[in-house]
Every structure is written in structure tokens, then in C-alpha cells.
């Protein structure tokens, strides 16, 4: 009797194991294994990015992830025979994602300045200036012309940080520095005359102007507020991967691929940093 009970228990255990294995396989097949817990391996390059930061990384109208930085990363993968995976992340959890190995790098308009010792960095590849956008017919041609004018910028933006920090003397000349939820609102206010200028990243400005077919309507002032460098951030110690990505990026700069991708997103080649 004991032997029979033992056999029955063994069969029950095997059944549970088989169901568990089948369920796990189905879970992965249906995409349940995707997301921050996606399995990483030596042939898959997982890029962590903010999915709401055009033109660097965002979700297009078809629901696909795209952007300047993602296209650069995808090309790097193609040249190294890697599988590319764009992994949207909670930006506040980016360090935990990188440390756990669920992503291989952070590549999404990622500022080096002030974080130099926090990550293993690629060489800077993008000079992200903070600039002003004005109406082309406004008569505003310099920062000095913004005296007693109303300027808008996005909440928690680099432009706001600059105008409230090291470049506060510029903001002190304005009639008002207003914060808005997003740059679409700022552009609508600029168009209607509710503000006189918008302070923002040059890459975002060029992309927005291009998307609005507004090259004749809007102008970017030649003088910048400040500048910061973008790079690819890797986990400290991951030198081999960083070196491979850097070598490939250098090749892409030399053969014109980076410039071609920048043009696709309306980004000026003047913002690109080539060694």
C-alpha cells in the first residue's frame, strides 16, 4: 500500500512539474516574459529608454518604439549581429534596471554632465544646447531682445534648471518665466501670442519644428542658454560592451550613418559630436 501511495504521489508531482513548465512556456510565448524581467543574454542588446522623449525615444502612431537614439542602437546591433530590444523603463528606476542586468545600457538623450562618475560612459555624441524658439516675424533676434518678454518652458526640463540656476541672470530680464506641462502647449502659446519665446532642448526644438512643418514660422536664436553632452551610460565594469558599442558608433560617424539618422528626425548635424 505504501509503495502504491508513493507511486501516486510521484505521478502527481510529475504532473505539476509538467503543467508548470507548459505554463511558463506559454507565458513567454504570449509575451508575458517581456518587460523589465526580460531575459538577457550575450546576443541580445537591451536598451533602456524613456518612451516619452521624442526625438530620442518614443512610441509612434503605430505603437512601435522609435527615435534617433533607438535607431542608432539598432544599427549598432545589426553591425554586431546582436538582437536589438528597446526596453521602456520607469526613468526613476533606471539605475536599478541597469544594476540588475535587465538592461545593458541607458541610451535616450542621457546627460553626462553631473553624472560623470555614476556610470561607465561612451564618448559624448550629441551637444544638447538649451535654446530659445521664437516666431520668425517677431523681431526677436537675440537673448537681449527677450527683455520684458514672456518666456515658457516645460516643467522639470533642463532649460528650466538652467534658467533657475547658473543662467538666472537671463531669466531675471524676462517679464515672466512660465512653466507648462509640455512643449505642445508652449508652441500653441507661441503661435497665439500668449508667450514670446520657448526655452527648450535644441534636439527637441528641431524635431518639433520639423513635425509642424514650421521652418518658415519658427526660428531658433543663435545664442544658447547653456549646453550639455549626451552619452550612452553602461554599468561600471562593463568595459568590453562599452568598447564594442563605441567602436561601432565611431564607424557609423565616419561612414555618414549617424548624420543620415539625424536628418531623418530633423536634427541638425551641428549638434553631433564626432571625434
Amino acid at each position: 500500500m505504501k509503495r502504491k501511495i508513493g507511486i501516486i504521489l510521484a505521478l502527481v508531482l510529475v504532473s505539476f512539474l509538467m503543467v508548470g513548465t507548459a505554463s511558463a512556456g506559454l507565458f513567454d510565448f504570449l509575451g508575458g516574459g517581456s518587460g523589465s524581467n526580460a531575459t538577457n543574454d550575450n546576443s541580445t542588446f537591451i536598451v533602456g529608454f524613456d518612451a516619452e522623449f521624442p526625438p530620442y525615444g518614443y512610441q509612434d502612431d503605430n505603437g512601435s518604439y522609435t527615435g534617433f537614439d533607438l535607431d542608432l542602437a539598432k544599427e549598432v546591433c545589426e553591425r554586431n549581429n546582436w538582437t536589438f530590444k528597446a526596453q521602456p523603463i520607469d526613468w526613476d528606476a533606471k539605475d536599478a534596471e541597469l544594476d540588475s542586468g535587465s538592461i545593458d545600457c541607458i541610451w535616450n538623450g542621457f546627460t553626462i554632465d553631473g553624472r560623470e562618475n555614476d556610470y561607465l560612459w561612451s564618448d559624448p555624441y550629441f551637444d544638447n544646447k538649451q535654446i530659445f524658439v521664437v516666431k520668425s516675424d517677431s523681431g526677436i533676434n537675440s537673448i537681449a531682445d527677450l527683455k520684458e518678454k514672456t518666456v515658457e518652458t516645460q516643467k522639470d526640463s533642463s532649460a528650466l534648471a538652467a534658467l533657475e540656476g547658473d543662467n538666472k541672470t537671463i531669466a531675471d530680464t524676462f517679464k515672466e518665466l512660465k512653466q507648462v506641462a509640455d512643449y505642445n502647449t508652449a508652441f500653441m502659446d507661441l503661435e497665439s501670442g500668449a508667450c514670446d519665446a520657448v526655452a527648450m532642448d535644441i534636439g527637441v526644438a528641431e524635431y518639433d519644428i520639423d513635425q509642424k512643418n514650421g521652418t518658415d514660422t519658427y526660428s531658433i536664436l543663435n545664442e544658447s542658454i547653456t549646453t550639455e553632452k549626451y552619452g550612452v551610460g553602461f554599468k561600471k565594469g562593463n568595459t568590453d560592451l562599452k568598447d564594442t558599442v563605441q567602436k561601432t558608433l565611431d564607424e557609423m560617424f565616419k561612414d555618414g550613418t549617424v548624420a543620415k539618422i539625424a536628418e531623418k528626425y530633423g536634427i541638425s548635424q551641428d549638434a553631433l559630436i564626432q571625434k
Side-chain angles (χ1 to χ4, degrees):
M1 178 63 75
K2 288 183 180 179
R3 184 170 178 270
K4 182 181 290 186
I5 292 173
I7 293 172
I8 292 172
L9 289 174
L11 289 172
V12 170
L13 178 60
V14 169
S15 297
F16 273 119
L17 289 174
M18 290 178 64
V19 170
T21 302
S23 296
L26 181 61
F27 184 69
D28 290 339
F29 179 76
L30 292 176
S34 63
S36 298
N37 296 320
T39 302
N40 203 347
D41 56 52
N42 291 332
S43 63
T44 302
F45 186 53
I46 304 180
V47 175
F49 74 106
D50 176 358
E52 297 180 356
F53 193 35
Y56 307 103
Y58 60 99
Q59 196 167 25
D60 64 19
D61 294 337
N62 297 319
S64 300
Y65 295 121
T66 188
F68 172 62
D69 283 343
L70 294 185
D71 278 10
L72 291 179
K74 189 182 298 183
E75 179 67 19
V76 167
C77 286
E78 289 181 2
R79 297 188 183 204
N80 287 283
N81 295 316
W82 296 338
T83 299
F84 170 71
K85 180 173 177 57
Q87 180 61 61
I89 58 174
D90 179 348
W91 198 245
D92 291 335
K94 60 185 178 295
D95 293 343
E97 297 274 12
L98 191 63
D99 289 341
S100 71
S102 59
I103 59 174
D104 292 307
C105 69
I106 303 168
W107 196 340
N108 189 211
F110 197 29
T111 303
I112 297 175
D113 307 67
R115 299 188 178 108
E116 290 87 349
N117 298 318
D118 297 339
Y119 306 90
L120 178 64
W121 288 102
S122 70
D123 292 339
Y125 64 91
F126 193 88
D127 185 1
N128 185 47
K129 296 177 182 178
Q130 306 302 317
I131 51 81
F132 293 104
V133 178
V134 299
K135 292 284 291 296
S136 299
D137 59 359
S138 65
I140 299 173
N141 301 302
S142 67
I143 290 178
D145 293 336
L146 292 173
K147 183 177 181 180
E148 294 302 316
K149 303 293 186 182
T150 299
V151 177
E152 290 188 354
T153 191
Q154 184 171 298
K155 295 177 181 177
D156 299 322
S157 64
S158 296
L160 177 63
L163 291 170
E164 289 185 336
D166 294 341
N167 300 89
K168 188 175 182 297
T169 53
I170 296 175
D172 287 343
T173 68
F174 303 158
K175 177 182 178 181
E176 184 181 9
L177 176 61
K178 295 172 61 178
Q179 299 180 38
V180 294
D182 54 67
Y183 285 122
N184 281 332
T185 300
F187 268 97
M188 286 190 291
D189 288 347
L190 184 61
E191 178 65 30
S192 69
C195 73
D196 302 291
V198 179
M200 60 194 305
D201 296 0
I202 189 168
V204 179
E206 291 174 337
Y207 173 79
D208 282 351
I209 291 172
D210 181 69
Q211 291 296 297
K212 299 175 189 299
N213 295 317
T215 52
D216 295 329
T217 305
Y218 304 104
S219 298
I220 296 174
L221 299 186
N222 289 328
E223 299 170 273
S224 59
I225 306 167
T226 187
T227 188
E228 59 188 8
K229 303 295 191 297
Y230 284 169
V232 186
F234 300 85
K235 184 178 179 179
K236 285 185 175 181
N238 205 354
T239 306
D240 289 344
L241 179 60
K242 187 271 291 186
D243 288 347
T244 300
V245 171
Q246 185 63 62
K247 181 175 180 288
T248 310
L249 262 180
D250 291 343
E251 294 169 354
M252 290 164 56
F253 263 108
K254 289 177 182 177
D255 65 23
T257 301
V258 175
K260 184 177 180 180
I261 294 173
E263 183 180 1
K264 173 183 175 181
Y265 292 96
I267 296 173
S268 170
Q269 294 189 31
D270 292 340
L272 303 178
I273 302 173
Q274 183 173 1
K275 291 191 298 183

